[in-house]
Amino acid sequence: MDVAYNLILIVHFIGLASVVGGFLVQMKSAEKGVNPAMWHGALTQLVTGVLLVGLAEMQDFDVDHAKIGVKLVVTIVITVLAFVGRKKPLPQIGLWGAIGALSIANIVIAVLW
Ligand code: HEM
């Protein structure tokens, strides 16, 4: 079970890299918007985050429900914004900026809360 938890945590980090990487790579572009890396990364974070919580509960790991609840709500907002933007014409500066800012906020919450 520990191996499964650690493997999913690794995929959680890859999802994080995908959302934030997809955001950062467009920093200098005039045509900013939701790219596939951001959309798939958001979905990855949602799925792996929920799986991590499930596995943690099964193993009686301590889970901070308030922190996880806030991360879950922020990630749902990110995923909805990415879904809305993924087929819209560029530029989508607002969507791009909101997804980047919320993703970085979730990293801050994950590490500092
Ligand atoms: C954009 C969305 C997300 C980002 C950027 C993110 C970021 C992170 C980071 C940086 C860590 C490692 C922090 C640490 O272990 O100290 C982490 C771990 C974790 N995250 Fe997320 N996360 C996101 C979404 C979610 C969601 C939606 C959930 C659950 C519903 C979740 C649940 C967890 C859990 C359970 C851990 C493991 C903590 C541990 O083993 O200590 N995450 N996340």
Side-chain angles (χ1 to χ4, degrees):
M1 201 65 91
D2 239 14
V3 177
Y5 185 89
N6 288 335
L7 284 177
I8 293 168
L9 187 57
I10 290 168
V11 181
H12 199 62
F13 286 127
I14 294 170
L16 184 170
S18 183
V19 188
V20 178
F23 165 75
L24 289 177
V25 80
Q26 299 181 69
M27 201 61 101
K28 284 193 161 177
S29 164
E31 298 279 278
K32 294 176 174 68
V34 176
N35 59 20
M38 292 165 84
W39 163 235
H40 294 133
L43 284 178
T44 304
Q45 289 312 80
L46 202 55
V47 172
T48 54
V50 171
L51 286 174
L52 282 173
V53 176
L55 284 175
E57 298 279 7
M58 281 165 69
Q59 296 177 88
D60 280 338
F61 288 175
D62 270 345
V63 178
D64 183 335
H65 290 105
K67 167 179 168 175
I68 292 301
V70 172
K71 278 184 73 183
L72 180 59
V73 170
V74 172
T75 308
I76 289 171
V77 174
I78 291 171
T79 309
V80 170
L81 294 178
F83 179 80
V84 168
R86 88 206 150 103
K87 295 253 158 96
K88 275 197 169 176
L90 300 173
Q92 318 157 346
I93 308 215
L95 286 173
W96 169 83
I99 292 171
L102 289 173
S103 303
I104 291 167
N106 248 2
I107 299 175
V108 173
I109 292 167
V111 175
L112 295 184
W113 186 312

